[in-house]
Amino acid sequence: MNPLCSRCNLVVYPTEKVNCLDKYWHKGCFSCEVCKMTLNMKNYKGFEKRPYCNAHYPKTNFTCVADTPENLRLKQQSKMQSQVLYREDFEKNKGKGFSVVADTPEMQRIKKTQDQISNVTYSSFFYLPVFSVLSAAYQSSAGSQNYNYEPAPEPVRQAAGGPPPSAGVGPPLSPPATFAKRYRAVYDYSAADEDEVSFMDGDVIVDVQQIDEGWMYGRVERTGQQGMLPANYVEAI
């Protein structure tokens, strides 16, 4: 006995029978449920044992889940785990930069300048206080022991045909004077930090001490202020 068509419920004869989706169809009745486009075994898509074309094939919808107490507990637990992972990742990457900067000659120069400034700042806050403490301790010790500088008298030569030199000793000689380094500013400079000093073109810098190849420590004779100054802004006089 011939089966019935799933679309029109008429008898399907073997010459026009299509067996698909566990049903029997006429070739003309095997069409899309939406647009009625005739389909074949190569271009159809089945959904709930109904034929569809590619354009009207039903999309799968998400299943709605009720907010039961158990689901709410699982949701809160997942949220707490996410916060813990975020906190761990934040602590791990704290202080790390993520921007990539090209290592250009200009960036290398800026980096070298920053390293020099850091070294000078460290030197000014570490070496100078230690030097001051040692100097004060030495002066206190020397004052308590009453050290005096008494140079040996220079022997007096006898002039030809003159009287013999007297046995008396002349006044003590003074130690040779030491001259502090003096520099003249060739550019204006404004202090960028509290341990630096500002000056103008032509100012005389005295009591200069070389910190490193890029920085010095000295006092501006015009203002009396002292501090760090860049070495390439002054010249020796």
Side-chain angles (χ1 to χ4, degrees), residues 83-154:
Q83 291 178 351
V84 169
L85 293 176
Y86 173 79
R87 181 68 179 179
E88 291 179 355
D89 186 66
F90 174 77
E91 293 293 337
K92 185 185 299 182
N93 296 318
K94 183 169 63 175
K96 296 181 180 179
F98 294 94
S99 58
V100 179
V101 181
D103 196 11
T104 60
E106 181 65 18
M107 294 300 300
Q108 293 179 357
R109 185 188 65 79
I110 294 175
K111 181 179 179 181
K112 184 177 180 180
T113 303
Q114 291 177 348
D115 292 341
Q116 292 179 353
I117 294 175
S118 300
N119 293 334
V120 169
T121 304
Y122 175 79
S123 300
S124 62
F125 281 99
F126 179 76
Y127 290 107
L128 292 180
V130 173
F131 178 76
S132 301
V133 171
L134 294 177
S135 299
Y138 175 77
Q139 292 176 0
S140 176
S141 176
S144 62
Q145 298 184 16
N146 193 18
Y147 289 131
N148 293 321
Y149 176 75
E150 296 182 357
E154 182 180 358

Side-chain angles (χ1 to χ4, degrees), residues 18-31:
V18 176
N19 186 4
C20 185
L21 300 175
D22 298 333
K23 297 180 180 180
Y24 295 98
W25 315 77
H26 290 107
K27 291 183 180 180
C29 293
F30 189 63
S31 59

Side-chain angles (χ1 to χ4, degrees), residues 1-5 9-17 24-26:
M1 183 177 179
N2 295 323
L4 299 179
C5 177
N9 292 326
L10 298 178
V11 177
V12 180
Y13 295 98
T15 56
E16 56 180 356
K17 181 173 63 174
Y24 295 98
W25 315 77
H26 290 107

